Amino acid sequence: MNAELLLMFTLGCDRAYLYAHPERELTTEEQSRYAAALTERGRGVPAQYITGHQEFWGMDLIVSPAVLIPRPETEHVIETVLAILTSDLRPQTLGNAALAGVRGPRSEVRIADVGTGSGCIALALAKELPNAEIHATDISTAALEIARANAARHQMEDRIQFHQTDLLAGLNIDFDFIVSNPPYVGESEEDQVQLEVRKFEPRKAVFAGPTGLEVIARLIPAARAALIPGGWLVMEISGTIAEAVRGLLAGWDEVQVVPDLQGIPRVARARKKSNR
Ligand SMILES: C[S@@+](CC[C@H](N)C(=O)[O-])C[C@H]1O[C@@H](n2cnc3c(N)ncnc32)[C@H](O)[C@@H]1O
């Protein structure tokens, strides 16, 4: 798979072309570029950092070592938000128009994506929710540059407002949803993390601190302060911290942990108590 992917990258072609032209020989220049890509991969550099691309929610995104490579399981965060919006559980201030793309009173769902990295979650939600007002934050300036480039690539630069800040600091906006794939790996579990991740993905994107809960423990109260009553927090988590996260969400309504396709607890959703 990797050899094929890197060959497609070297030749700037798709898989169909590779199989349709088995007779095609590489030029000397192509051979040396392919060899260089294979050497990098052999050193453990993830293929996505070599090609500079990763697909997420049907969109081709640019990635660099400044951002986490978007993972397929993070798509469950998007699915969870869309499922809430199409159910009776959506914040009551929002009408049906929030989904239909029709402007009306409070048809704009307000969403914050905390720790946007490549911008994958914010962009997927912008794609699905044409009326949504979307804010994306990251502590890393370099990550935000990639996220902005991805928004521009998909003609969504006007749809997302980017903020370089710690979690939600300084935003002063009432949100209907706060979504996040925060760093949640503990330094104590470092030896269980794939070597490629440890060596090449940004440390601040992966590790939260000694236990893995450090960022989430700050995000939960920050989200409660920034959400409207009845608004939702939707976070990616891991099986290791699922029970501790449930504990931190005591005092929220409708707490649920949704498993991924492998049955591993993956998305925690919780609703801020309404004023009733
Ligand atoms: C696990 S990555 C997720 C990136 C992207 N949302 C995704 O799902 O692929 C976590 C991101 O949170 C950012 N981050 C870490 N601590 C933060 C903080 N205190 N405030 C804002 N962003 C933070 C990191 O820079 C990184 O981009």
Side-chain angles (χ1 to χ4, degrees):
M1 280 285 285
N2 276 263
E4 205 173 82
L5 186 78
L6 294 175
L7 189 53
M8 281 154 44
F9 165 66
T10 305
L11 299 181
C13 70
D14 59 13
R15 187 166 278 115
Y17 177 92
L18 275 195
Y19 283 90
H21 298 279
E23 77 294 348
R24 163 88 152 78
E25 286 187 12
L26 300 188
T27 64
T28 318
E29 191 265 337
E30 286 165 348
Q31 268 179 31
S32 73
R33 279 196 292 120
Y34 186 45
L38 289 177
T39 306
E40 282 295 273
R41 187 71 195 94
R43 202 162 74 75
V45 179
Q48 293 91 334
Y49 288 154
I50 301 172
T51 63
H53 293 265
Q54 171 64 25
E55 194 197 299
F56 184 84
W57 202 260
M59 293 178 292
D60 176 52
L61 300 184
I62 298 170
V63 292
S64 84
V67 298
L68 189 92
I69 299 164
R71 308 293 206 268
E73 54 268 30
T74 301
E75 295 189 342
H76 292 304
V77 170
I78 320 298
E79 287 162 2
T80 304
V81 172
L82 297 180
I84 293 169
L85 274 171
T86 46
S87 74
D88 294 344
L89 294 170
R90 72 174 166 269
Q92 279 162 7
T93 41
L94 299 171
N96 290 328
L99 268 185
V102 183
R103 283 204 168 263
R106 255 325 241 113
S107 63
E108 302 89 354
V109 198
R110 278 194 207 116
I111 304 176
D113 171 23
V114 177
T116 197
S118 61
C120 59
I121 296 177
L123 280 160
L125 290 171
K127 181 177 166 188
E128 294 302 322
L129 302 168
N131 274 348
E133 177 183 323
I134 299 179
H135 297 258
T137 78
D138 207 290
I139 200 128
S140 155
T141 317
L144 283 169
E145 261 177 44
I146 300 287
R148 283 201 183 92
N150 278 319
R153 229 172 117 70
H154 291 278
Q155 288 84 46
M156 292 204 262
E157 61 267 59
D158 299 337
R159 297 286 324 281
I160 304 168
Q161 295 173 53
F162 293 98
H163 311 264
Q164 199 248 320
T165 190
D166 178 24
L167 303 181
L168 291 154
L171 260 60
N172 299 324
I173 297 164
D174 292 332
F175 289 104
D176 302 294
F177 284 86
I178 290 175
V179 299
S180 184
N181 174 15
Y184 56 67
V185 181
E187 282 151 5
S188 55
E189 7 166 25
E190 186 158 352
D191 53 356
Q192 293 156 46
V193 176
Q194 259 186 316
L195 188 67
E196 279 180 18
V197 176
R198 265 190 277 156
K199 244 175 116 179
F200 297 103
E201 299 210 55
R203 214 177 153 79
K204 262 194 174 316
V206 177
F207 295 100
T211 68
L213 274 173
E214 290 77 0
V215 175
I216 288 179
R218 290 198 303 120
L219 176 58
I220 290 174
R224 195 172 53 213
L227 282 169
I228 59 160
W232 287 86
L233 171 61
V234 179
M235 284 180 300
E236 180 169 325
I237 60 165
S238 73
T240 322
I241 57 167
E243 275 319 299
V245 171
R246 269 186 192 280
L248 290 170
L249 288 168
W252 291 64
D253 285 339
E254 315 269 1
V255 177
Q256 203 179 61
V257 174
V258 185
D260 63 19
L261 296 176
Q262 296 181 67
I264 299 168
R266 188 55 66 195
V267 177
R269 53 161 242 197
R271 188 174 205 180
K272 178 173 165 175
K273 283 195 185 302
S274 53
N275 285 335
R276 283 176 288 128

